[in-house]
Amino acid sequence: MKKYLVLNGPNLNLLGQREPGIYGKDSIKALMARMEAAARKHGVAIGFFQSNHEGALIDKLHAAGDEGFAGIIFNPGAFTHYSYALRDAISAIRLPVIEVHISNIHAREEFRHHSVTAAVAQGQIAGFGLYGYELALMALLEAEKGEEERC
């Protein structure tokens, strides 16, 4: 069974508590349950990792292929806007990565408009709340279908 990693960066452990007007009222546990249900629906497995530490996220990106993940759904949080180290880690691995943001980063403060990680991700989904994670899973599955058809 294929499995996909949901990787969350800084402050996302506070979902449901942190600025619910922007990030919603659902907790990270609710996100996990939602993604497990979506994975079952599509016949795949899902794994989760969250860290407030850049190095831990880089280590997880590096290890994801060896851990059997077929792709990554990644919300880098604030690291999106300035972490060249995460950008390089995404670029260095051979797994597809979909960047996800709960809020529409392009409609928020100016400093949030630019993503240094998006250019090396397969795509970016922003502004659809927690549903964006499900959209990212569907995008990974569709891209995989397209890859199989080309082979």
Side-chain angles (χ1 to χ4, degrees):
M1 176 182 289
K2 293 235 178 185
K3 65 180 182 174
Y4 297 88
L5 175 64
V6 176
L7 184 61
N8 281 297
N11 300 311
L12 290 159
N13 56 306
L14 297 178
L15 282 177
Q17 302 168 37
R18 176 185 174 222
E19 300 179 90
I22 295 172
Y23 301 106
K25 295 180 181 176
D26 289 328
S27 68
I28 196 163
K29 287 183 180 179
L31 170 62
M32 292 166 68
R34 182 179 188 145
M35 289 305 295
E36 286 171 345
R40 277 192 305 276
K41 176 181 170 186
H42 293 287
V44 298
I46 206 92
F48 300 95
F49 185 80
Q50 186 279 326
S51 180
N52 295 317
H53 305 280
E54 185 178 36
L57 295 168
I58 291 167
D59 289 344
K60 194 64 174 178
L61 285 163
H62 290 177
D66 291 339
E67 293 175 358
F69 291 104
I72 301 169
I73 299 161
F74 188 22
N75 185 339
F79 289 138
T80 300
H81 315 294
Y82 65 90
S83 178
Y84 296 106
L86 280 173
R87 182 200 186 284
D88 290 349
I90 294 167
S91 184
I93 64 174
R94 296 196 170 159
L95 295 176
V97 175
I98 304 290
E99 182 178 307
V100 174
H101 298 284
I102 296 166
S103 67
N104 181 353
I105 62 172
H106 306 287
R108 296 188 58 199
E109 302 93 339
E110 181 69 30
F111 76 90
R112 295 186 196 274
H113 295 184
H114 180 70
S115 167
V116 299
T117 51
V120 292
Q122 189 168 0
Q124 181 190 75
I125 297 171
F128 293 97
L130 298 186
Y131 183 55
Y133 289 83
E134 293 178 58
L135 291 171
L137 177 61
M138 289 186 279
L140 286 168
L141 295 170
E142 282 299 314
E144 189 173 286
K145 274 192 226 175
E147 186 66 29
E148 289 171 0
E149 289 172 5
R150 285 189 292 275
C151 292

